[in-house]
Amino acid sequence: MTQRVFMVLWLLLAALKLALAVHLPLFGDEAFYWWESRWPAWSYSDLPPLTAWLIGLGSAMPGAEIAVRWPFLLLGLLLPWQVAWLARSSHGEAAAWTAGILALVLPLAFAIGVMAVPDVVMACLSVAAAHQLLVALAPPARARPWLLLGVVLGLGMLCHYRFAALPLVIALVVLMHPHGRATLRTPWPWLAALVAASTLLPLWWFNAGHDYAGLRFQLLDRHPWAWQSDGWLQLAEQALVVGPVLAWIMVATMWRLWRRRPLAGNEMTLAVLASGMWLLFFALGFVADNERFRWHWQLPAYLVALPLVAGSWSTWSQRIRTAALAVSALVIALVLAYFAAGIWPSAQGGWFDGKRFPANFSGWREVAAWQREADAGATPVIVDNFMLGAALTYYMAPERRDAVRVLDDPLNSRHGRAAQLAIWSLDEAALASQPPAPGWLLVEETARRFSDRWDWYRNLCTRFAGLRLDGVLDLFDGRKRFVRWRHDGYSTQPHCDTAALPPLGWVDQDRQVRHRGEPVLVSGWVTQAGQGIEAVDIRIEGQAPVSVSRTREAAWARQHWGELGDPAGDRLGFGVVIDTRDWAAGTYTYQVEARRPDGLVWPIGSGALRIDR
């Protein structure tokens, strides 16, 4: 594969990445890293400082999301060139552009560089470290390559604690390499290790001053450190993020290399680096965090392995090579579709429903605009979790960015952000230490499981004086929902005013398909503590609204939430049969709303009816 093919693909993917970086709303974690960049520090409770520092550098430039992302976008665009450079050093000019093209079609490598996250920085530094190691292990022993290697490894340690895997594997390579063992008798590897270790001082300084919050989260709190049999799922996950055919070629290439041992020279260095990193993270997958996205952990291993694959690429048949590129390109198309759903959530057509919905991209611009419309003066805004707090701070008017405070929430702790909010005095403990002041309470209802919402709302109700429902923002057919109150101040209350609690309910079978003339049942249940529900309204696109009462028994709410205080008791259910004989074929959306006796109208759910001929 030629340099011209590489350039055409690189320009095409660069244009796609640039468009995504400009139009894609900030991911929730990106927003928090941006928030950290506004508080320069030697480290943070979730990550070392380099990501926040780069975002701070980018944010000095004008622009919206692209200002946050452009340093990471440039690094992502540099990465295929780095892989080509590494392949040229290890296997010569013929393999360089092949390796670069393989880096371009690696789906996981395409995904990074679009967002301002540490993975693209770690990927670039990992490839740079591999190249410097090749140079350092070439006789005679020289100071400069080792010192540069130490600098690269040190920068990596400032990026993420996970980067520590690379120095460990590099130490193994040096011990296995004949010239590496000889080099240990010179001062240069030890000086490189000292340079790399010196960058740990800022991390130690931060952790020692804050109860070792960063180390505790990354090494203890987020990991169960117990055997998890679903670790075997990593095999399928990794095949997907590489592309199944290309993954098979990688495995076969590594197997061939190890079978013809002893390996020597550059092939040995890259093979041990790639295999060591991959196996280390694969083993960790059986005992470490499996709740958050882990598919990207092995990316540096794949990038280092690509020169080895490129070196033997011509030995594979044309059919296999074409299949590898085509399947990986198909996976990239799926990644593009996911990012597109993040830009246009309403247009994703059900392809990314449920857990696949891009919730961490969606709704931030809309909720910030909604809050700006209601905002006035210096009224503080209290939110329920770090992600909403960070996104709201970013998308709020610049003069209001210091108004956001964050309540304690399990989500904050699970992502290592609770300690950071406490350091900034933006958490609930800081609120409790201040005199009560009136303001806004804004929460993301859909950030928690449906079964947890009743108790969560009642708990919120007892933490604020004078809590009054102000409104609801229902987005993307209920996939994101934000609720807002006014309050007289953060202050523990002995009782909950049930008028401050929003209705909660469920809609059965939110997607139905019927032939024209067949009846359609729209049913569900809804509950409201205190005053109950006056009526349930079903509003179907293009049809007259239908109002029904709650007459059916629905025991789920009482069984899971206990005594509800709803005058209807267990008769919380509603149902209405819709006559479709006069309907034209097509898809009809509908909304279900609850109407309280005090006049409040509240969205309960939505759905779609498809009528076939």
Side-chain angles (χ1 to χ4, degrees):
M1 290 189 281
T2 65
Q3 181 179 1
R4 180 175 296 179
V5 174
F6 172 84
M7 286 301 303
V8 170
L9 284 176
W10 184 83
L11 289 171
L12 173 62
L13 294 181
L16 288 173
K17 284 190 172 188
L18 177 60
L20 290 171
V22 169
H23 295 291
L24 194 65
L26 287 189
F27 193 75
D29 287 326
E30 281 184 286
F32 196 82
Y33 299 148
W34 169 84
W35 209 359
E36 289 176 331
S37 75
R38 300 187 71 230
W39 303 73
W42 288 115
S43 191
Y44 301 91
S45 68
D46 56 340
L47 282 180
L50 190 55
T51 301
W53 290 353
L54 286 173
I55 290 176
L57 171 67
S59 299
M61 302 287 287
E65 289 88 353
I66 188 62
V68 174
R69 291 171 171 152
W70 71 260
F72 302 84
L73 175 64
L74 290 182
L75 289 173
L77 296 178
L78 173 66
L79 187 58
W81 292 91
Q82 280 189 285
V83 173
W85 176 46
L86 178 62
R88 182 180 291 110
S89 299
S90 63
H91 289 78
E93 186 71 24
W97 300 115
T98 299
I101 291 169
L102 293 176
L104 286 170
V105 300
L106 196 66
L108 193 53
F110 169 79
I112 67 171
V114 172
M115 299 186 296
V117 291
D119 301 280
V120 64
V121 188
M122 286 197 294
C124 288
L125 291 173
S126 297
V127 176
H131 181 268
Q132 280 306 125
L133 184 62
L134 293 182
V135 177
L137 289 176
R142 292 163 292 161
R144 187 171 180 271
W146 285 104
L147 291 177
L148 287 176
L149 177 60
V151 170
V152 171
L153 294 178
L155 288 173
M157 294 305 301
L158 290 176
C159 187
H160 202 294
Y161 293 96
R162 194 170 65 241
F163 192 85
L166 183 57
L168 292 176
V169 179
I170 284 177
L172 178 63
V173 172
V174 173
L175 290 173
M176 293 178 64
H177 196 286
H179 184 66
R181 292 192 297 271
T183 306
L184 291 176
R185 292 191 287 270
T186 72
W188 312 129
W190 306 104
L191 190 56
L194 182 62
V195 170
S198 67
T199 62
L200 297 176
L201 290 175
L203 277 62
W204 175 84
W205 183 268
F206 168 83
N207 278 281
H210 297 97
D211 194 27
Y212 296 93
L215 287 171
R216 193 174 64 250
F217 168 66
Q218 291 289 351
L219 300 181
L220 296 176
D221 295 347
R222 72 175 292 181
H223 301 297
W225 298 120
W227 177 262
Q228 302 164 105
S229 57
D230 65 355
W232 293 109
L233 290 175
Q234 293 178 96
L235 296 174
E237 294 167 358
Q238 295 306 308
L240 181 62
V241 297
V242 174
V245 182
L246 184 54
W248 177 69
I249 291 175
M250 280 190 178
V251 171
T253 300
M254 301 303 292
W255 178 251
R256 289 175 181 176
L257 287 171
W258 285 109
R259 282 190 65 188
R260 72 166 197 245
R261 290 178 298 172
L263 289 173
N266 293 336
E267 281 193 340
M268 188 276 282
T269 300
L270 296 182
V272 175
L273 274 180
S275 302
M277 284 191 289
W278 196 94
L279 290 171
L280 180 57
F281 285 121
F282 181 70
L284 283 174
F286 286 93
V287 295
D289 177 17
N290 66 348
E291 292 185 10
R292 279 163 287 268
F293 193 78
R294 66 184 178 192
W295 297 14
H296 55 299
W297 289 2
Q298 280 100 330
L299 175 61
Y302 299 131
L303 295 171
V304 171
L306 285 180
L308 300 173
V309 175
S312 61
W313 186 252
S314 61
T315 64
W316 297 94
S317 70
Q318 183 64 43
R319 180 180 298 178
I320 291 177
R321 286 181 286 170
T322 301
L325 297 176
V327 172
S328 293
L330 179 61
V331 179
I332 287 178
L334 293 175
V335 174
L336 275 172
Y338 183 78
F339 283 145
I343 299 173
W344 302 290
S346 298
Q348 52 93 18
W351 284 92
F352 296 100
D353 275 344
K355 290 185 177 181
R356 299 186 303 274
F357 182 72
N360 286 350
F361 288 113
S362 307
W364 308 133
R365 292 169 176 166
E366 292 83 354
V367 71
W370 184 54
Q371 183 60 33
R372 283 197 303 269
E373 291 174 1
D375 224 1
T379 307
V381 182
I382 300 173
V383 301
D384 64 313
N385 68 77
F386 81 89
M387 202 171 290
L388 175 57
L392 192 65
T393 301
Y394 178 79
Y395 286 108
M396 289 274 277
E399 64 273 12
R400 294 284 286 133
R401 284 177 169 171
D402 294 327
V404 177
R405 302 292 184 270
V406 184
L407 295 175
D408 293 344
D409 190 274
L411 193 68
N412 303 342
S413 300
R414 283 203 304 270
H415 289 264
R417 274 64 189 259
Q420 193 60 55
L421 293 168
I423 291 168
W424 293 337
S425 296
L426 299 180
D427 65 338
E428 194 162 343
L431 281 173
S433 68
Q434 299 166 1
W440 299 102
L441 172 62
L442 177 62
V443 305
E444 182 186 353
E445 181 183 279
T446 43
R448 53 209 26 86
R449 294 179 303 180
F450 180 78
S451 58
D452 294 336
R453 292 176 192 173
W454 178 263
D455 290 334
W456 175 68
Y457 271 131
R458 293 188 73 89
N459 181 270
L460 274 182
C461 187
T462 60
R463 289 148 79 181
F464 291 87
L467 201 61
R468 307 176 296 282
L469 268 173
D470 182 76
V472 59
L473 180 65
D474 196 62
L475 299 171
F476 320 124
D477 297 325
R479 295 181 183 92
K480 294 277 276 193
R481 182 178 294 167
F482 301 92
V483 181
R484 185 173 63 201
W485 294 261
R486 288 184 177 274
H487 63 84
D488 295 331
Y490 177 88
S491 175
T492 303
Q493 304 297 302
H495 303 290
C496 173
D497 179 3
T498 56
L501 296 174
L504 281 175
W506 185 265
V507 177
D508 303 323
Q509 291 183 292
D510 59 350
R511 295 188 180 275
Q512 301 184 52
V513 179
R514 295 288 187 274
H515 291 290
R516 187 168 60 182
E518 289 182 340
V520 174
L521 173 64
V522 177
S523 62
W525 58 266
V526 59
T527 184
Q528 169 69 61
Q531 58 189 291
I533 297 296
E534 183 176 272
V536 177
D537 300 326
I538 295 101
R539 303 181 183 277
I540 302 175
E541 178 186 9
Q543 307 294 323
V546 178
S547 294
V548 296
S549 299
R550 299 179 300 164
T551 58
R552 299 182 172 198
E553 285 198 7
W556 186 95
R558 188 188 294 272
Q559 290 171 358
H560 288 78
W561 294 336
E563 180 56 44
L564 302 171
D566 191 313
D570 279 344
R571 292 192 172 275
L572 309 176
F574 63 88
V576 60
V577 176
I578 308 294
D579 185 353
T580 65
R581 284 177 294 181
D582 297 329
W583 290 22
T587 299
Y588 298 80
T589 59
Y590 66 88
Q591 288 76 41
V592 177
E593 298 174 340
R595 189 158 22 101
R596 292 196 325 196
D598 63 1
L600 178 76
V601 176
W602 203 262
I604 297 302
S606 61
L609 309 174
R610 198 180 85 203
I611 304 300
D612 293 338
R613 294 185 183 277

